Structures are given as C-alpha cells and as structure tokens.
C-alpha cells in the first residue's frame, strides 16, 4: 500500500486530507485528490509530460501524473551550461553508475537519468535528435504498423516549433507553432569550425540539420532552447496543462509496481492511498522508484544490463529472460520487448 508523504517544511501546515502535495517544493497543489482516474501516467519525464498534456486535453479524462522527483524550479536546469550542475546532483539525477567495463580500462562511468519534472530534458545537453529514418522503417517492416518514418513524421512536425520557420514559409520535414521549441545553437568555437572543415576534407560532409532522416555528416546540433534558455518538456507540455481541473500532478511519488488486474492499479511508497486507473489504463514513462529501473527501462533490460546493473524484485513486463539474464517475475510476456531499442550517444 502507499501513503501520502508525511515530511513537510518546518512551520508549514499539513495539507488537507486527500489532497495533492509536492514533497520536494513543500507546496500544496490545492486540488482535491481523487481516488480513481482514467489514466495514471508514471513519470513526468519527456514522454510523461507530453502524455499528461494530450490525455488531459479531453475534459472527460481524469489523469494522474506521478513523479518521483520534484518540480523543475532549480535555477541550473534553465541555464544551458547548468547541466554540469544537474548531472551528478541527487536533486535532479537518479545517480546511476555503469558497471566497471573492461573496454573502459575497468572504469565505471555515470549514466545520468533525470529525476525531476521534465526528466532527462531538464538535465541533458538539449540536443534535438529524431534518429535515423531507416530505424523507423525497419520497425514498420517487422510488423509495427504506423511506425515508419513517413507515418511518424507528421507527429514530429505537429509538436515542433522550428526556428527557421519563424518568418513564415514551410518545410516538408519541420513544423512551426507547436510546443517543442527547436533553435540553432548560440555557441560557436573556432576549434569546432576547424574540426568540421577537417572532416569535410576526409569525405565527411558538413550537415546543418540532423533531423531530416539521415544523420551522416558533421556539424552543430540544433537544440531545445528558447532565446538562450533551456526549453524542457515541463515548459513545453506540462505547465500549459497544469491548471486543468482534470489533471492531478503528484511529486515525490515513488511507484514500485503496476498491478495487472481487471482494474489496473499502482503500488508505491510515500504517495497516497492506493490509486486505480479504473477505465483506461496505466502508462509508465519513467523510472518508478529510487534505485530501481522503472517499467519502461525494465522492458529493454537485456540491452541495458551490460551498461547499468541494479537489483529489484518487482514483476516486470517484457520478454522472458534468457539463462544469462537476471531472473525476474514476469507479469506479462512481450517477446520483442527491447530488441530494437536504440541508445544514441555522440562524442567529439
């Protein structure tokens, strides 16, 4: 069972019973906390903020958004160079570490994951990268209807606010007027310009836009910023929807398990009396609870286990583990889970 947070700042009054309370900021959210919801979204990261926005756009949907971290009110989140103070900071980062890797000369390195409204979009390098068109097309070719590059492109364009279209016009691969702001970097260094020139001299062409389906090339990334300030998923999707009466947001909410029953429910710690998603479902978009992978990360555990290893006991959704993988209770079998996950990394 789960209980409402008891910790509160000294001198503050206790929030009314059955009300939503932000443990991190100590602010009462001021709205009656319902016991039943149509949708429970676990994790207020990039995907969770977007889903909470879209689901609550229908006034008939009662939506609960749970986030283990706190609000994105830490000043370093919004200053672009501030990621240096957010990564490795337990206020905003889950503080994961890799195993010692032979290929890294036995070193263990950080594996940053956002623990705050906006998730990783609040602590990352702000690079806007859709990925390779060939990957999307391969997913569609394997039977995943609706996942080809041309089929997902309208969704990318719909929520995009691309800076090159500020003065009007159109672009077949970019949109304007959406919530997700994309701008050119304000940073330019002579050494990076020289590196790009050197790359072109050995046959690696310059590239100004890494979101046209083919990422081969060398150039400056476009970023999620607005007038030089980080534009995270909280600003883009969550804050505009925050005042909706059918959306309840609870910070400091650790979710341990999704209970697969006829009426889907959640089991967690320090949240509130047990909540149910009565009619529709529970959508997990993030971590879950401290020191553990959330259901989404568990779904591609076979890929991640060689990089980050954590131990947990809650049942998971995914494919049955092989003899070399950790044996975990499997509540629902999805044989292809995690097989085509892509973790994108870049280096200079």
């Amino acid at each position: 069972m789960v209980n409402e947070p008891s910790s509160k700042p000294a001198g503050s009054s206790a929030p009314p019973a059955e009300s939503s309370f932000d443990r991190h900021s100590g602010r009462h959210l001021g709205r009656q906390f319902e016991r039943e919801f149509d949708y429970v979204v676990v994790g207020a990261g990039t995907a969770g903020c977007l889903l909470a926005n879209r689901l609550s756009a229908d006034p008939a949907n009662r939506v609960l958004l749970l986030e283990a971290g706190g609000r994105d009110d830490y000043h370093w989140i919004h200053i672009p160079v501030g990621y240096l103070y957010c990564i490795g900071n337990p206020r905003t980062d889950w503080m994961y570490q890799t195993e010692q890797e032979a290929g890294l000369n036995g070193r263990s390195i950080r594996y940053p994951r956002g623990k705050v409204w906006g998730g990783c979009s609040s602590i990352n390098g702000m690079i806007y990268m859709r990925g390779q068109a060939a990957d999307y097309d391969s997913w569609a070719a394997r039977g995943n209807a609706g996942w080809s590059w041309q089929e997902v492109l309208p969704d990318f364009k719909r929520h995009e606010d691309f800076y090159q279209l500020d003065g009007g016009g159109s672009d077949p691969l970019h949109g304007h007027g959406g919530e997700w702001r994309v701008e050119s970097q304000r940073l330019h260094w002579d050494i990076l310009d020289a590196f790009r020139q050197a790359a072109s001299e050995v046959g690696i062409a310059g590239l100004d836009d890494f979101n046209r389906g083919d990422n081969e090339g060398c150039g400056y990334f476009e970023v999620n910023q607005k007038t030089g300030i980080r534009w995270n998923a909280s600003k883009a999707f969550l804050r505009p929807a925050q005042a909706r009466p059918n959306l309840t947001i609870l910070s400091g909410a650790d979710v341990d398990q999704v209970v697969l029953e006829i009426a889907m429910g959640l089991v967690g710690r320090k949240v509130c009396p047990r909540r149910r998603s009565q009619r529709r479902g529970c959508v997990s978009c993030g971590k879950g609870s401290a020191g553990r992978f959330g259901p989404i990360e568990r779904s591609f555990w076979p890929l991640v286990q060689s990089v980050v290893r954590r131990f947990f006991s809650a049942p998971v959704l995914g494919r049955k583990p092989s003899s070399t993988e950790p044996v975990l209770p499997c509540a629902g079998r999805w044989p292809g889970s995690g097989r085509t996950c892509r973790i994108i990394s870049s280096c200079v």
Side-chain angles (χ1 to χ4, degrees):
M1 292 293 289
V2 288
N3 300 297
E4 184 151 345
S6 58
S7 60
K8 58 182 182 296
S12 64
S13 59
E18 293 302 324
S19 58
S20 178
F21 187 75
D22 185 331
R23 184 179 66 186
H24 177 76
S25 66
R27 286 193 289 268
H28 173 231
L29 298 185
R31 199 161 48 241
Q32 188 71 16
F33 196 61
E34 298 177 290
R35 288 186 175 277
E36 296 180 354
F37 298 86
D38 299 310
Y39 294 97
V40 179
V41 180
V42 182
T46 305
C49 289
L50 173 61
L51 278 170
N53 179 299
R54 297 297 189 257
L55 291 171
S56 63
D58 183 348
N61 292 333
R62 297 167 299 171
V63 181
L64 171 64
L65 176 63
L66 301 175
E67 168 56 39
R71 294 170 180 255
D72 57 331
D73 53 6
Y74 185 39
H75 67 280
W76 284 117
I77 290 174
H78 309 288
I79 303 170
V81 75
Y83 70 89
L84 297 172
Y85 302 95
C86 293
I87 292 174
N89 182 342
R91 175 172 179 169
T92 51
D93 186 358
W94 281 93
M95 304 288 289
Y96 289 133
Q97 294 278 336
T98 71
E99 288 188 309
Q100 294 180 350
E101 296 290 336
L104 297 174
N105 196 28
R107 289 180 297 149
S108 174
I109 62 175
R110 290 174 177 174
Y111 186 78
R113 299 284 91 184
K115 185 183 179 182
V116 64
W117 284 19
C120 290
S121 75
S122 293
I123 71 170
N124 63 16
M126 296 157 285
I127 294 172
Y128 179 62
M129 178 73 73
R130 296 173 180 171
Q132 295 280 92
D135 285 335
Y136 292 91
D137 291 339
S138 70
W139 298 331
R142 295 175 185 178
N144 298 288
W147 277 95
S148 72
W149 173 259
Q150 289 300 324
E151 288 173 297
V152 301
L153 183 59
D155 293 312
F156 280 121
K157 293 173 62 178
R158 188 174 299 116
H159 68 236
E160 187 180 17
D161 189 26
F162 191 54
Y163 72 106
Q164 290 189 5
L165 300 179
D166 286 349
S170 63
D171 186 314
L173 294 171
H174 289 286
H176 192 265
E179 302 99 332
W180 202 221
R181 181 64 177 177
V182 180
E183 294 189 352
S184 175
Q185 287 193 55
R186 299 155 75 93
L187 170 71
H188 284 273
W189 289 353
D190 291 342
I191 191 172
L192 296 181
D193 295 334
F195 184 90
R196 182 177 184 178
Q197 179 61 34
S200 66
E201 292 174 3
V202 296
I204 303 175
L207 187 62
D208 294 324
D209 187 350
F210 286 91
N211 292 292
R212 306 191 78 83
D214 184 353
N215 298 346
E216 183 174 349
C218 182
Y220 288 93
F221 292 114
E222 290 163 333
V223 292
N224 292 120
Q225 294 179 9
K226 191 168 188 178
T227 62
I229 300 173
R230 178 190 293 274
W231 193 252
N232 63 358
S234 174
K235 293 177 184 174
F237 304 109
L238 187 55
R239 294 188 190 183
Q242 189 175 350
R244 293 173 182 169
N246 61 325
L247 173 62
T248 301
I249 307 168
L250 187 64
S251 301
D254 296 310
V255 175
D256 289 332
Q257 183 181 351
V258 175
V259 181
L260 298 179
E261 299 174 350
I262 294 176
M264 207 175 271
L266 296 171
V267 175
R269 294 174 291 110
K270 299 178 182 177
V271 183
C272 49
R274 176 169 171 152
R275 304 300 172 196
R276 289 183 179 273
S277 175
Q278 195 73 341
R279 297 186 305 174
R280 305 289 178 81
C282 173
V283 184
S284 178
C285 304
K287 277 286 162 285
S289 63
R292 308 181 180 204
F293 282 121
I296 291 297
E297 296 233 0
R298 291 170 187 160
S299 71
F300 57 83
W301 174 258
L303 177 65
V304 175
Q305 68 166 337
S306 64
V307 181
V308 183
R309 195 179 297 267
R310 296 286 183 191
F311 296 96
F312 50 85
S313 59
V316 301
L317 302 177
R319 62 183 178 85
K320 186 177 180 180
S322 69
S323 59
T324 61
E325 295 168 353
V327 178
L328 305 170
C330 189
R333 188 166 181 265
W334 294 337
S337 179
R339 290 295 191 182
T340 58
C341 175
R342 296 286 187 268
I343 294 181
I344 300 173
S345 63
S346 60
C347 62
V348 176

